[in-house]
Amino acid sequence: MKLIIASNNAHKLTEIKDILGGMFEEILSMGEAGIDHETIEDGSSFMENAEKKAREIAEISGCCVIADDSGICVDALDGAPGIYSARFCGRHGDDAANNRLLLEKLRDSDDRRAHYTCAIALVRPDGSCVKAEGYMHGVIGFDEKGSNGFGYDPLFILPERGGLTAAQISPEEKNRISHRAQALHALLRELGREE
């Protein structure tokens, strides 16, 4: 059976292929499958966006499709930026501006608790859908540290990793503990492939 990942993000593709590789004969990115489609992510939750992406690509391809939506949720900001994480500053994918805005909004806050959320949806050709979520908990630091990772990783401190940020640990370690890894393992449990 073939699986299409509704993404062309190299980090995401590697992580998904590593964890789900044994379940499918072939795992392809949208680009590798020859699909050029942009889903409008207008859902009100991570899961709505993930399922919408997966369903649209499944309809186009006739294959099993997996999609995710993820972001950072900050307690003191009532869960913001949440589904708007990638465009928190008003421009999509401007990590530096997003991080500056987050620090500015938390300037007078003592509560720095936050978590990354990842929602994953796997849609089969018959339209059935399996869903799972994963989380990575931490706190928001006061300045950026580390050069690994992307997005909010340089600000996201992992207390159980000795106070290192997600951008200071190795990509391999992050992939073991990340919100996406947690969601993928939860998905495997939903599919009955993991204890």
Side-chain angles (χ1 to χ4, degrees), residues 60-133:
I60 291 167
S61 67
C63 297
C64 276
V65 176
I66 191 168
D68 82 315
D69 192 35
S70 58
I72 194 166
C73 304
V74 180
D75 290 17
L77 303 179
D78 296 322
I83 59 172
Y84 304 106
S85 293
R87 55 189 185 277
F88 190 37
C89 69
R91 291 181 305 281
H92 193 277
D94 189 338
D95 292 350
N98 286 336
N99 284 334
R100 280 194 304 273
L101 181 58
L102 181 58
L103 288 174
E104 184 182 311
K105 288 190 174 287
L106 289 175
R107 187 175 54 235
D108 300 321
S109 178
D110 292 328
D111 185 358
R112 312 291 285 197
R113 293 172 298 159
H115 65 274
Y116 276 114
T117 298
C118 177
I120 287 187
L122 188 149
V123 174
R124 299 182 180 104
D126 65 5
S128 61
C129 182
V130 183
K131 305 174 192 178
E133 287 189 341

Side-chain angles (χ1 to χ4, degrees), residues 9-194:
N9 179 306
H11 298 287
K12 205 178 282 192
L13 296 170
T14 300
E15 195 170 358
I16 293 172
K17 285 179 178 181
D18 285 349
I19 294 173
L20 299 184
M23 281 187 60
F24 296 90
E25 293 164 23
E26 193 176 14
I27 301 180
L28 303 172
S29 69
M30 285 172 52
E32 290 167 335
I35 298 169
D36 180 17
H37 177 78
E38 185 81 27
T39 296
I40 297 169
E41 296 181 35
D42 54 3
S44 60
S45 68
F46 292 115
M47 190 57 78
E48 282 183 20
N49 286 332
E51 185 175 352
K52 184 179 183 189
K53 283 190 276 192
R55 286 200 180 282
E56 287 184 9
I57 303 306
E59 286 171 16
I60 291 167
S61 67
C63 297
C64 276
V65 176
I66 191 168
D68 82 315
D69 192 35
S70 58
I72 194 166
C73 304
V74 180
D75 290 17
L77 303 179
D78 296 322
I83 59 172
Y84 304 106
S85 293
R87 55 189 185 277
F88 190 37
C89 69
R91 291 181 305 281
H92 193 277
D94 189 338
D95 292 350
N98 286 336
N99 284 334
R100 280 194 304 273
L101 181 58
L102 181 58
L103 288 174
E104 184 182 311
K105 288 190 174 287
L106 289 175
R107 187 175 54 235
D108 300 321
S109 178
D110 292 328
D111 185 358
R112 312 291 285 197
R113 293 172 298 159
H115 65 274
Y116 276 114
T117 298
C118 177
I120 287 187
L122 188 149
V123 174
R124 299 182 180 104
D126 65 5
S128 61
C129 182
V130 183
K131 305 174 192 178
E133 287 189 341
Y135 309 93
M136 183 167 67
H137 295 272
V139 294
I140 303 300
F142 291 89
D143 50 20
E144 296 185 33
K145 293 180 181 170
S147 56
N148 295 330
F150 57 96
Y152 299 91
D153 288 353
L155 291 175
F156 192 78
I157 295 171
L158 300 161
E160 75 278 6
R161 292 296 186 273
L164 296 175
T165 69
Q168 289 177 300
I169 62 175
S170 71
E172 294 76 23
E173 184 175 9
K174 184 187 168 198
N175 286 350
R176 282 197 303 275
I177 65 169
S178 77
H179 48 305
R180 188 168 296 107
Q182 303 300 324
L184 286 166
H185 286 291
L187 182 73
L188 284 174
R189 288 191 293 275
E190 289 293 322
L191 293 168
R193 300 297 182 94
E194 187 175 274

